[in-house]
Amino acid sequence: MPSESDFLDWIRSQQSISPHVLLPAGDDLAILKWPDNELLLVGADQVLDGIHFDSSKHTPRQIGRKAMNRNLSDCAAMACLPAAAIATVALPRGAGIEFAKELYLGLRDAGGAFNCPIVGGDTASWDGKLVLSVMILGRAEGIAPITRLGAKTNDGLYVTGALGGSILGRHMTFTPRIKEARILAQSVPITAMIDISDGLSRDLARICQQSNVGATIDASAVPIHPDAIALSRQSGRSPLEHALHDGEDHELLFTCPTRPPAGTLIGRITADRSLLLVRNGKTEPLSTKGWDYPL
Amino acid sequence: MPSESDFLDWIRSQQSISPHVLLPAGDDLAILKWPDNELLLVGADQVLDGIHFDSSKHTPRQIGRKAMNRNLSDCAAMACLPAAAIATVALPRGAGIEFAKELYLGLRDAGGAFNCPIVGGDTASWDGKLVLSVMILGRAEGIAPITRLGAKTNDGLYVTGALGGSILGRHMTFTPRIKEARILAQSVPITAMIDISDGLSRDLARICQQSNVGATIDASAVPIHPDAIALSRQSGRSPLEHALHDGEDHELLFTCPTRPPAGTLIGRITADRSLLLVRNGKTEPLSTKGWDYPL
């Protein structure tokens, strides 16, 4: 029966050459050459069977891609470029080496699209369900990282795409908005940015909380994805509700005092710290119903 | 009921100031200032309930410490200093925020002992068992990283401590040999090094495979831990068997052409690629029985 060692041997054979990587996966740690005076950004995101994917429905290649793309989307949210990634995988016992290879290829495909090699990790098998955790390193490369804490009163509030209903499939197949983020950040003074992972309302609340401001959203301006309309027919909730509160769109939500070259204006930052929704001429509180794990 | 957001708010309140950390956990990614011309080492290790710990027996503080210490031990194996860590945790639903805080404090305690702050991560809860995954960043800081691939014929083979029987408790409480590694690497030309996580025989095989050499171990020289003797009474296997093949000692195994200031000489590197054990004057093949996951 193939073992972890066989899998690691195979991974070593798959490693690509990168100018930053002095020693790739295969030792206790990988060794990178980091550019002089370059900021180093780091973060991590995991995907869990039954929460972020369904192993009875999604292929390991899709699962690997999603795990990597969630992290690449965090790079987009800071307007940085990914530099390298590390992954740990807890494999259900008996999943098999082909399954493990497909997971790896999913990670590699998604990372490869943004020149982000996988430089290490850890594999174990257990009698639990699949867990895939990815840690990412990013580099600023000439653009100051954009945080969540710079939104200013009267800034416009923008999103890079239509929202809602990602659970119908887009949550597995989204494209991280790295290119868009870099173009935006080079063109206009973006004051705060986040990728929408837990829902527009909840992620907007994070920007507002950290920037110590509030926001008003114009309901009629929120771009609603066709999936939100399709899901509305099943859920009985309105397409707008789905666009405001569904998670895993992975579009960028950002604030900017000037007109950006891309993005839909959906509202404005306010000095008053409340979150409001203007709908049919009436102003109401915007609830933050997005994803939050009870512990 | 407390949620992931409450936990993240609490984590933010726990963050310590570090000269390298420009922006700590709380945004999409953390931002570090990396020293000029400094090598960056990266790796990851996870701990799984039922494999690396037993949640019915070990406290979350102990589990957090082990997860961090496994990664710190990888730093020791490269003779680098830890710089920062990131963690992802898959929490069993209903574990509670106090449990999550204890996990974090275990990570922080262990990292704190080596000036290694936790700068980010991801928390989710699910109906699976506990998984804690840690990624570590290390810096060379004046010592060239020691890989597994430099062992030379006639080098002495050394270990930093007694081996075997760690499952009786030491696998949760070991101290990463970072200080020892730094002293060794500054004193003598260490040619290859690894931390013993999967057993002396298997980890020695890794050094030999990557260095394209073999090794002969003197059975009478292998330092046997009292735990190996205690375990031998239960297992019916000899204390030497436990010392050779048990995992999670996390002592360092290294090769060196000169006499190091610390470490026990247990054998020698050979040009012939086989692994041999000399016992009672007889030479036999050394089997590599250590830990390897069937996939």
Side-chain angles (χ1 to χ4, degrees):
Chain A
M1 183 186 282
S3 69
E4 184 197 1
S5 311
D6 300 313
F7 181 50
L8 295 185
D9 288 344
W10 178 83
I11 285 181
R12 270 176 216 126
S13 75
Q14 299 290 311
Q15 298 264 308
S16 52
I17 306 296
S18 159
H20 295 311
V21 182
L22 297 184
L23 183 74
D27 216 294
D28 296 285
L29 300 171
I31 307 176
L32 308 188
K33 178 83 189 74
W34 202 250
D36 285 359
N37 288 312
E38 176 64 292
L39 292 179
L40 168 62
L41 293 93
V42 288
D45 249 323
Q46 61 193 335
V47 293
L48 312 178
D49 193 2
I51 302 283
H52 304 97
F53 64 88
D54 177 348
S55 62
S56 69
K57 196 169 123 188
H58 300 119
T59 67
R61 185 82 69 124
Q62 291 173 315
I63 296 164
R65 277 201 205 104
K66 176 169 183 176
M68 180 62 78
N69 279 332
R70 278 168 67 91
N71 282 275
L72 295 172
S73 188
D74 284 328
C75 290
M78 306 288 285
C80 73
L81 289 178
I86 307 261
T88 65
V89 54
L91 275 177
R93 220 185 298 280
I97 193 166
E98 290 308 317
F99 185 94
K101 287 181 181 177
E102 283 292 314
L103 276 177
Y104 175 84
L105 291 173
L107 291 169
R108 201 186 63 171
D109 287 354
F114 294 95
N115 297 314
C116 180
I118 301 159
V119 298
D122 182 51
T123 306
S125 57
W126 72 328
D127 62 354
K129 293 186 291 182
L130 179 62
V131 177
L132 183 53
S133 186
V134 175
M135 290 88 169
I136 199 145
L137 307 181
R139 57 191 206 277
E141 192 133 330
I143 295 179
I146 298 171
T147 67
R148 300 175 182 176
L149 42 80
K152 298 277 185 303
T153 304
N154 289 325
D155 281 353
L157 180 67
Y158 300 85
V159 289
T160 52
L163 306 176
S166 75
I167 193 67
L168 294 184
R170 272 158 43 239
H171 73 110
M172 296 299 293
T173 60
F174 64 90
T175 301
R177 300 299 186 203
I178 291 174
K179 284 172 193 157
E180 293 79 354
R182 299 284 292 180
I183 291 169
L184 284 166
Q186 282 170 319
S187 312
V188 285
I190 296 177
T191 49
M193 188 154 64
I194 194 170
D195 68 313
I196 301 177
S197 56
D198 294 337
L200 169 60
S201 60
R202 186 166 290 277
D203 288 319
L204 173 59
R206 291 190 170 121
I207 284 182
C208 289
Q209 188 191 0
Q210 293 197 37
S211 298
N212 203 18
V213 294
T216 300
I217 288 182
D218 174 2
S220 66
V222 175
I224 290 173
H225 197 279
D227 287 342
I229 298 167
L231 189 58
S232 168
R233 288 189 205 107
Q234 301 169 31
S235 69
R237 292 166 54 211
S238 72
L240 178 66
E241 285 281 301
H242 285 293
L244 290 174
H245 306 303
D246 286 358
E248 302 203 324
D249 294 293
H250 293 288
E251 295 292 348
L252 298 172
L253 174 67
F254 63 96
T255 58
C256 187
T258 59
R259 184 84 205 166
T264 304
L265 180 68
I266 63 166
R268 202 153 287 279
I269 295 298
T270 58
D272 181 86
R273 292 202 57 186
S274 50
L275 298 185
L276 301 172
L277 182 70
V278 178
R279 174 155 43 174
N280 303 324
K282 282 196 280 193
T283 300
E284 59 192 79
L286 173 69
S287 61
T288 56
K289 289 185 193 159
W291 189 256
D292 192 14
Y293 294 93
L295 296 183
Chain B
M1 183 187 280
S3 70
E4 183 197 0
S5 310
D6 299 313
F7 181 50
L8 295 184
D9 288 343
W10 177 83
I11 286 180
R12 270 177 217 126
S13 75
Q14 299 290 312
Q15 299 265 307
S16 52
I17 305 297
S18 160
H20 295 311
V21 182
L22 297 184
L23 183 73
D27 216 294
D28 296 284
L29 300 171
I31 307 177
L32 308 188
K33 177 83 189 75
W34 201 251
D36 285 1
N37 287 312
E38 176 64 291
L39 292 179
L40 167 62
L41 292 93
V42 287
D45 248 324
Q46 62 192 336
V47 293
L48 312 178
D49 193 3
I51 302 283
H52 304 98
F53 64 88
D54 177 348
S55 61
S56 69
K57 197 169 123 188
H58 301 119
T59 67
R61 186 81 69 122
Q62 291 174 315
I63 297 165
R65 277 200 205 106
K66 176 168 183 176
M68 179 63 78
N69 278 332
R70 277 168 67 90
N71 283 274
L72 294 172
S73 188
D74 285 328
C75 289
M78 306 289 285
C80 72
L81 289 178
I86 307 262
T88 64
V89 54
L91 274 177
R93 220 184 298 280
I97 193 166
E98 290 308 317
F99 184 95
K101 287 180 180 178
E102 284 293 314
L103 276 177
Y104 175 85
L105 291 173
L107 291 169
R108 200 188 63 172
D109 287 354
F114 294 95
N115 297 315
C116 181
I118 301 159
V119 298
D122 182 50
T123 306
S125 57
W126 71 329
D127 62 355
K129 292 186 293 182
L130 179 63
V131 177
L132 182 54
S133 186
V134 175
M135 176 181 92
I136 199 142
L137 306 181
R139 57 191 207 279
E141 192 133 328
I143 295 180
I146 299 171
T147 67
R148 300 174 181 175
L149 42 80
K152 298 277 185 303
T153 304
N154 290 323
D155 282 352
L157 181 66
Y158 300 86
V159 289
T160 53
L163 306 176
S166 75
I167 193 69
L168 295 184
R170 272 157 44 238
H171 74 109
M172 296 300 294
T173 60
F174 65 90
T175 301
R177 300 300 186 202
I178 291 174
K179 284 172 193 158
E180 293 80 354
R182 299 284 291 182
I183 291 169
L184 284 166
Q186 281 171 319
S187 312
V188 285
I190 296 177
T191 48
M193 188 154 63
I194 193 170
D195 67 313
I196 301 178
S197 55
D198 294 337
L200 170 60
S201 61
R202 186 166 291 276
D203 288 319
L204 173 60
R206 291 190 170 121
I207 284 183
C208 289
Q209 189 191 0
Q210 292 197 37
S211 297
N212 203 17
V213 294
T216 300
I217 287 182
D218 174 3
S220 67
V222 175
I224 291 174
H225 197 278
D227 287 342
I229 298 167
L231 188 58
S232 168
R233 289 190 204 107
Q234 300 169 31
S235 69
R237 291 165 55 210
S238 72
L240 178 66
E241 285 281 299
H242 286 293
L244 290 174
H245 306 304
D246 286 359
E248 303 202 322
D249 294 293
H250 293 289
E251 294 292 348
L252 298 172
L253 174 68
F254 63 96
T255 59
C256 186
T258 60
R259 183 83 204 167
T264 303
L265 180 67
I266 63 166
R268 203 153 287 280
I269 295 298
T270 58
D272 181 85
R273 292 203 56 189
S274 50
L275 298 185
L276 302 171
L277 181 70
V278 178
R279 174 155 43 174
N280 303 326
K282 282 196 281 193
T283 300
E284 58 194 81
L286 172 69
S287 60
T288 55
K289 288 184 192 160
W291 190 256
D292 192 13
Y293 294 93
L295 295 185

